[in-house]
Each structure stands twice: as C-alpha cells, then as structure tokens.
Amino acid sequence: MIAFDDMRGYIQLLKSKDQLKEIDIELNVARGTTELQPLMRFIHNSNGPALMLNNLSGYNCPDIPVLFNPYGTRERTSMILGKEDPLESKLRHAEVLTDKSLWHKPRKIESSKAPCKEIKIERKDIDIGKQLPHVWFGKEGPAYITNAVVITKDPETGIPNTGCYRLTQLWNASHPHGDVYSEDEQKKCLSIFAFWNPPGNDVGIHWAKAQEMKQPLEVAIACIVDPVVQIAAATSIAFGLDEMDFAGGLRGAPVDVVDCETIDIAVPATAEWILEGKFLPDQDVTIGPHSNPVGYYDDAQLFPLIEIQSITHRKNPIWYSTMEMQPPFDHNYMACMPIEGELLSDLQAKIPEVQDVVVTPNLSYFVQLSVDGAQKPHSEFGKFVLQSVWDASGRWGKTAKIVVVVGPDVNPYDLSEVEWAINTRVQPYTDSIINKSGHAFLMDPSAEKDPGHGIALQSEQIGFDATIKIPERFQSYPEYSNADAEDVEAIAEKFKGLL
Ligand SMILES: Cc1cc2nc3c(=O)[nH]c(=O)nc-3n(C[C@H](O)[C@H](O)[C@H](O)COP(=O)(O)O)c2cc1C
C-alpha cells in the first residue's frame, strides 16, 4: 500500500530516505537570467537528489518554496508506486492497467474537508501575475505550469478525462513574433498544449468536439497532486476511461475528490492548487520559444486559450517546477514510466516472452526478452517483437523511432550493454526493419513539421533485432567473455578501502 496521499507525503518519504535537500542559498528564476536550467544539468550530471528551493529571487511569490527534481531518477519515480526497483514498479503499473477490476472510483468528500480549498480567490480578484508562481527555466518565452493534471469532460458522454499537459502563463511572457499579450490575457489566461492530430491527446479531442458542437468546455487544473495521480494522468489509457479510476487502482484505494467552486468537475482534494476555467473559442494564441523534451527550442506554436475564473489553494502552498531540455531531466522518468507500463501491459498480453521495456530519456525503446537463441518461439521472433511495439495500444509505442530487442543477458538499463548487443548480434541490413511512414514524436526536429501547429506528424523509424540468430543463421554462438556479477562483488569486497 502506498504511504502518502499528497505531494507533501511523498516529500516526507523522500526526506526520510535522504533523497531531498532543503536549499537556502539564493537562486535567480527571472526571465532572461534564470539559474534553473544549469541547476537541472548540474543535478543530473551527478544523479543528484530532489531539492526544495527556499530562497528564490526574480520571483513574484517569494514566500512559496519551489520543489525541484523530485522524479529525477528511476528509483525515485518507482517510489511513487511504493517500490524502489524500476521493473517492479512498471509491472505493478502494467498489472493495474490490464486488470480493471483493481480500479477504484474516486470518493467525493465535503468541500470543508478538502485541503485544496483552504484559500479561495474569486473571479473578480484574479490576477495570475500576483497569485501564481512564475519561474523561468531557460530561454523560453512564457513561464510554464509543468506540474498540473488537467480535467475536462467529454462534451458528448460527460465522461471525465485527466491528463498531464503543460500550460503557459502569459503574464510577463515574451511573444515569439514580438507582439504583446493583452492585459486581460496576462491577468486571467493560460494556454494549454492540446494536440488533436494523431497521436493527439484527449483534452485536444474534447476541445475539438466542444467546438464542433458549439458548446463551452469547462476545465479544472489541479497543480501538485499526489504523484500517483500524476502517473495515472500521464498514462494513455483508452479514450473514454477515467484516469482517476486507474489512479485509485494504482493507490489500492480511491482518490479523494471534491467539487469545484464554479464548474461541474471534481478535482483531487489534496492538490496544492486548483484553477477553474473554460476554453475560449476562436482565440488560439501563439507561444514560444518552448524548451522541448527532445532538447531543442520550438520557435512558435499555436494553442487554445483558457480563461481562469476561480483559484483555490492550500495554506502555505508549495510550487513544483520542472521543464524540458536535452535529456536527462527531472520528469523524463515520470513521463517514461507510464509508457513502459503501457507497453508491458500490451506486449505481455500477446508475447509472454517480453520481460522488460525500457524507454530511455532520449526516447529509445529497448525490449528485453526472457528467451534468446534456440529458446525463441520461432525464427525472426525479434522482428515480430519490433513490429508489435509499433502496433501497441497507447499513445507512444507507435512513435518509437529507435527500437532494440535484446535477450535476457543484456541489461536494458545500460546503454553500453545494448550497444554491445547491437555490435555483436546484428547485421544491420538483415536484422533491422526500416519503417518509412511511422508516427513522429511530435517535437522531433528531424521530422517535417505541420506548418499550422508546428508539430511533426510522420517519421521514419528503425528497429534492431539484437537477439542471437539461432535458429535463423547459426546453430551455436561463441561463449561470451565477462566476469560473473557475484565474482565482481566478491573482488570488490576484497579491495574495499585499498584503492
Ligand atoms: C510533466 C509532463 C508533461 C507533459 N506534457 C504534455 C503536453 O504538454 N502535451 C501532451 O500532449 N502530453 C504531455 N505529456 C504526456 C501526456 O501526459 C500523456 O501522453 C498522457 O497519456 C496524456 O493523457 P490523455 O491520453 O488523457 O490525453 C506530459 C507528461 C508529463 C509527465
């Protein structure tokens, strides 16, 4: 069972494991001079801990501390699901995803008991530049909200969807074409990364439907929730299912939710902040540059606008800020773990020999099998697995640009071992598949972009079958030369303190 109900509980868990440090030295987060991007690089170069930044300058909310890098390792991300081993946490994620009898519907609680309602700001008083923390990360135009889960209801069926999407704040933002955001936009509006082209997101589909039906679309934005809810929101479960039910399954208990103040949506009661609003028809805004998850700046993108009409938050709230850059960075692991779980759930149902799936921070996909060589069920089995990744359910398997299938003796978490397997088990022409018309990862700068929305739709893909080619080409393979892990441990013990 998971030992926390909110981000504060997860922070306590990290502290108890010496995985979170309080930082009181001054750090600048202002647009143009921010120190957060170098801090992210520095902390990832050393596999460092989570930080609570208590002394920020160039900051509009100096009393609100900023949580930084909580998910920055596979181990910490696994702790969200109550495990420390990455494979165990993925298997748990995959198990709950597969078996819907484990899911729990959320439990509604009274408003007076919901921590997220401790402080209320009404529509007439909303001034986002004063009330919501703004921190810049690199050279991006707006300050982002990267900590939120976004809840909307399907305008046709009323079924809610919870997704983890970035939002931008327009207060004090620079415009990519030199325009100025209006006073009203700066005070009351956010824009949201909603995509409706494949592989689009569900909020994009809701918004497209609402526009078609000429109906308004209400939206609740819950910032800094129980990380289990965020993992569920970052999982692409089938359209029409509610991620909040899946989150209950992952927790092993329902998520407590509470009704919004001004709209017909229920939100996680222990969130630090709740923003309520509605999409504004025909008022898309251009934002940029945007520091993206493949490590480049997108110049300009066009996204819908949301008007905020209520803000509630906890007493002494915290903020959590993360952002993309050249990987690895903090929320790589938070974004990749649900993809790994999705693929494990899908592939294991069809191919029991799939043992682990590792999606690297740079979005390479490594599939480890429990068999190799003569134990493979049929020849060209590796290629069958490659095709199955591109064919898997969920949003991202189809966008895998580089996929490698390895046997059980190759550690998929170790790039050097995967490279060794490619070099010693693959003939590039015979043992690869090149797919010329795959789905693109939306922000891959090497794929052509849709001129309207600035995202890539189609990409070439390559898969390597790095299994041992028995029975395909050989009857035996040379014995490999390496020390046993146990012997390495024994020798390390012998050398303790000597070197
Ligand atoms: C921190 C973080 C930020 C993300 N930002 C976006 C985003 O801005 N747009 C998007 O489409 N997906 C984003 N994702 C991935 C989606 O959350 C994920 O694909 C999820 O399945 C989408 O939910 P949906 O299937 O209900 O649309 C992000 C994931 C994480 C962990």
Side-chain angles (χ1 to χ4, degrees), residues 259-433:
D259 283 332
C260 278
E261 299 289 295
T262 61
I263 56 178
D264 179 26
I265 290 180
V267 286
T270 61
E272 293 288 324
W273 303 78
I274 302 292
L275 319 176
E276 302 173 15
K278 58 176 190 306
F279 280 69
L280 296 177
D282 306 321
Q283 292 192 47
D284 291 357
V285 280
T286 304
I287 57 119
H290 160 235
S291 179
N292 73 27
V294 292
Y296 291 86
Y297 286 100
D298 292 314
D299 296 339
Q301 289 166 308
L302 189 65
F303 287 123
L305 202 60
I306 290 172
E307 188 185 11
I308 300 301
Q309 60 201 41
S310 155
I311 300 178
T312 68
H313 63 83
R314 290 175 75 153
K315 280 188 195 141
N316 304 316
I318 53 173
W319 193 244
Y320 161 40
S321 171
T322 183
M323 196 62 194
E324 294 89 19
M325 63 189 296
Q326 188 179 348
F329 51 82
D330 170 36
H331 68 264
N332 278 142
Y333 300 103
M334 153 67 74
C336 289
M337 199 259 258
I339 304 176
E340 294 166 337
E342 280 162 43
L343 279 170
L344 273 174
S345 160
D346 182 282
L347 296 177
Q348 285 185 332
K350 298 183 280 205
I351 315 170
E353 294 81 4
V354 168
Q355 182 163 289
D356 197 354
V357 174
V358 173
V359 180
T360 69
N362 278 303
L363 298 174
S364 297
Y365 287 58
F366 302 152
V367 181
Q368 188 195 42
L369 304 178
S370 59
V371 295
D372 206 349
Q375 307 147 334
K376 289 189 290 186
H378 53 79
S379 69
E380 304 294 356
F381 183 64
K383 284 191 184 149
F384 169 70
V385 177
L386 289 174
Q387 297 281 16
S388 304
V389 171
W390 291 319
D391 203 29
S393 60
R395 189 173 168 206
W396 300 113
K398 53 180 78 60
T399 71
K401 185 173 174 182
I402 296 179
V403 189
V404 186
V405 178
V406 297
D409 59 343
V410 177
N411 176 0
Y413 299 90
D414 185 336
L415 275 176
S416 164
E417 287 203 22
V418 175
E419 184 198 17
W420 171 76
I422 293 174
N423 273 297
T424 62
R425 294 174 181 178
V426 171
Q427 285 297 302
Y429 187 78
T430 311
D431 299 328
S432 68
I433 302 176

Side-chain angles (χ1 to χ4, degrees), residues 211-230:
Q211 288 179 105
E212 185 88 356
M213 294 164 70
K214 304 215 177 319
Q215 279 193 12
L217 185 69
E218 297 181 333
V219 54
I221 299 159
C223 299
I224 313 156
V225 291
D226 172 349
V228 181
V229 173
Q230 201 176 359

Side-chain angles (χ1 to χ4, degrees), residues 146-147 161-167 193-195 199-203 230 232-237 243 322 324 331 334-335 342 395-396 442:
T146 43
N147 55 38
N161 178 74
T162 308
C164 186
Y165 316 113
R166 255 152 296 192
L167 300 119
F193 273 56
F195 305 107
N201 53 27
D202 290 358
V203 69
Q230 201 176 359
T235 305
S236 100
I237 65 176
E243 284 83 358
T322 183
E324 294 89 19
H331 68 264
M334 153 67 74
E342 280 162 43
R395 189 173 168 206
W396 300 113
L442 300 167

Side-chain angles (χ1 to χ4, degrees), residues 8-25:
R8 295 180 190 202
Y10 179 65
I11 288 172
Q12 283 316 316
L13 180 71
L14 294 180
K15 277 189 177 164
S16 71
K17 303 218 175 248
D18 210 20
Q19 285 281 333
L20 187 142
K21 306 272 180 222
E22 297 283 340
I23 302 295
D24 296 324
I25 56 167

